[in-house]
């Protein structure tokens, strides 16, 4: 009888202890977070021995506090060029028609355009593509006639290719026409070039500027040949001369607008590379410049200059056009 009561007492105590443990496991009086206690609880309830896996605690870490490196304040730069009355002093005009245009007024007039973008905005061509320069020592190529060659590495096609490279690198979409408009006959070159320009303008209405690249020359029978001289940085360079047409001999209503572009470009070139330009030639002919207000006829050096000097000059021309590519004296720039 005594043994039965003792067994009953032990059993009751065990059940009470198990109940207390279960209550604790549900958030009761004892917070059981010890793995040994949890194992003992399961043993009392089920008779099974359970070993909990050892878990590696992962301590969340706050992201490191980082400070951006100190930078200078960014000052918004205006896009485009602003010219002033003083810049007119650098522009010379060889007026062969005696029109006496107002250079300062042409300089200060606004040029509102944007040559950058996905669509082609510049066309480069060559009315006299086979024109070439004075050979340097070691340069060997065949000449078709004096200072003319079909070799595209030394004639005006190579000058146009370099200008295309500079403008394209600056974000301008360029079309470079490589037609030999002066072959097989030099006569009629401008008529042939006019047909080419018209076809491009019809196919690509986005074209804003048409650049006809030449090199100048005087009498091929005389030596030394015409040589221009300039310096760009430390490099020997040819000079650039812009030729502007008028309505003296033929209908050309927009010649002053085109002349204004010549005046602005000359001023920008002189600001960037003093001494690189020759006086603008204002001529009675129109030279296909009437086909768009953004037309240019540029003499890149002369036949007495070297091809290397012409390349330096045309790179300067490209840099100046890039500087003007988003406008000159536009209202939003003031």
């Amino acid at each position: 009888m005594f043994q039965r009561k003792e067994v009953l007492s032990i059993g009751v105590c065990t059940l009470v202890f198990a109940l207390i443990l279960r209550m604790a496991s549900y958030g009761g009086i004892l917070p059981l977070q010890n793995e040994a206690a949890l194992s003992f609880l399961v043993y009392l309830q089920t008779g099974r021995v359970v070993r909990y896996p050892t878990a590696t605690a992962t301590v969340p870490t706050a992201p490191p506090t980082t400070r951006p490196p100190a930078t200078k304040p960014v000052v918004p730069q205006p896009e485009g060029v602003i010219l002033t009355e003083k810049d007119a002093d650098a522009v010379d005009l060889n007026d062969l028609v005696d029109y006496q245009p107002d250079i300062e007024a042409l300089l200060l007039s606004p040029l509102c355009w944007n040559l950058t973008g996905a669509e082609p905005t510049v066309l480069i061509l060559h009315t006299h593509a086979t024109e070439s320069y004075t050979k340097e020592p070691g340069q060997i190529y065949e000449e078709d006639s004096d200072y003319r060659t079909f070799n595209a590495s030394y004639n005006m096609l190579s000058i146009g290719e370099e200008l295309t490279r500079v403008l394209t690198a600056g974000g301008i979409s360029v079309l470079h026409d490589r037609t030999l408009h002066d072959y097989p006959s030099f006569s009629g070159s401008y008529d042939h070039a006019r047909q080419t320009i018209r076809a491009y303008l019809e196919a690509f209405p986005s074209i804003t500027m048409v650049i006809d690249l030449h090199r100048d020359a005087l009498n091929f029978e005389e030596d030394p040949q015409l040589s221009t001289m300039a310096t760009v940085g430390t490099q020997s360079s040819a000079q650039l001369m812009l030729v502007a047409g008028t309505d003296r001999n033929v209908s050309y209503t927009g010649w002053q607008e085109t002349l204004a572009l010549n005046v602005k470009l000359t001023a920008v070139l002189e600001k960037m590379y003093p001494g690189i330009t020759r006086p603008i030639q204002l001529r009675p002919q129109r030279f296909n410049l009437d086909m768009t207000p953004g037309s240019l006829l540029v003499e890149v050096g002369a036949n007495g200059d070297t091809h290397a000097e012409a390349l330096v000059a045309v790179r300067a021309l490209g840099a100046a056009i890039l500087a003007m590519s988003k406008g000159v004296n536009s209202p939003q720039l003031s």
Side-chain angles (χ1 to χ4, degrees), residues 80-81 113 115 124 162-172 209 211 232 240 264-273 276 296 311-328:
V81 175
W113 67 9
L115 299 180
I124 298 172
E162 185 64 11
L163 181 58
T164 299
R165 183 192 66 81
V166 172
L167 296 182
T168 301
I172 295 177
M209 172 178 274
I211 307 173
V232 173
L240 300 166
K264 292 178 177 65
L265 179 56
T266 298
V268 172
L269 280 164
E270 284 299 317
K271 285 170 71 76
M272 297 174 69
Y273 311 103
I276 198 170
L296 292 173
L311 287 175
V312 174
V314 82
R315 291 178 195 126
L317 174 65
I321 293 173
L322 285 174
M324 299 171 57
S325 63
K326 294 191 177 180
V328 179

Side-chain angles (χ1 to χ4, degrees), residues 61-69:
T61 57
T65 302
T66 58
R67 293 183 179 180

Side-chain angles (χ1 to χ4, degrees), residues 283-321:
R283 303 276 294 273
Q285 302 86 353
R286 66 183 181 184
F287 299 114
N288 294 330
L289 297 170
D290 60 308
M291 301 194 73
T292 173
S295 292
L296 292 173
L297 193 160
V298 187
E299 302 277 4
V300 184
N303 62 331
D305 296 312
T306 66
H307 182 259
E309 291 168 336
L311 287 175
V312 174
V314 82
R315 291 178 195 126
L317 174 65
I321 293 173

Side-chain angles (χ1 to χ4, degrees), residues 32-151:
L32 293 183
Q33 296 182 2
N34 184 281
E35 292 176 0
L38 290 172
S39 297
F40 180 62
L41 172 62
V42 174
Y43 172 75
L44 288 175
Q45 292 178 317
T46 66
R48 291 184 291 111
V49 177
V50 177
R51 290 184 176 87
Y52 284 87
T54 302
T56 303
T58 301
V59 180
T61 57
T65 302
T66 58
R67 293 183 179 180
T71 57
K72 296 181 179 179
V74 177
V75 179
Q77 297 296 320
E79 294 180 333
V81 175
I82 296 178
L83 298 172
T84 67
E85 294 88 346
K86 292 183 179 179
D87 295 314
D89 296 337
V91 180
D92 292 325
L93 180 68
N94 186 6
D95 187 354
L96 301 180
V97 290
D98 196 26
Y99 273 4
Q100 300 180 8
D102 188 338
I103 297 299
E104 185 175 306
L106 295 172
L107 179 78
L108 299 179
S109 62
L111 174 63
C112 301
W113 67 9
N114 188 348
L115 299 180
T116 61
E119 297 298 320
T121 56
V122 174
L123 169 65
I124 298 172
L125 80 158
H126 314 278
T127 298
H128 300 149
T130 64
E131 292 176 331
S132 60
Y133 298 88
T134 294
K135 290 181 179 179
E136 295 183 84
Q139 287 183 345
I140 301 174
Y141 57 88
E142 184 177 353
E143 291 184 318
D144 177 56
S145 60
D146 290 340
Y147 303 101
R148 293 185 181 276
T149 182
F150 292 122
N151 191 321

Side-chain angles (χ1 to χ4, degrees), residues 153-224:
S153 296
Y154 293 99
N155 63 19
M156 298 312 298
L157 295 181
S158 64
I159 306 302
E161 199 64 28
E162 185 64 11
L163 181 58
T164 299
R165 183 192 66 81
V166 172
L167 296 182
T168 301
I172 295 177
S173 181
V174 180
L175 299 171
H176 182 202
D177 181 78
R178 300 173 65 88
T179 304
L180 302 181
H181 295 103
D182 54 346
Y183 178 82
S185 173
F186 185 83
S187 176
S189 298
Y190 279 99
D191 290 336
H192 299 154
R194 191 174 187 84
Q195 295 174 17
T196 296
I197 295 170
R198 182 180 292 112
Y200 273 99
L201 292 178
E202 290 175 355
F204 301 95
S206 55
I207 292 175
T208 304
M209 172 178 274
V210 177
I211 307 173
D212 189 2
L213 295 177
H214 297 247
R215 64 104 179 96
D216 200 7
L218 291 179
N219 191 341
F220 292 140
E221 304 296 327
E222 297 180 359
D223 283 319

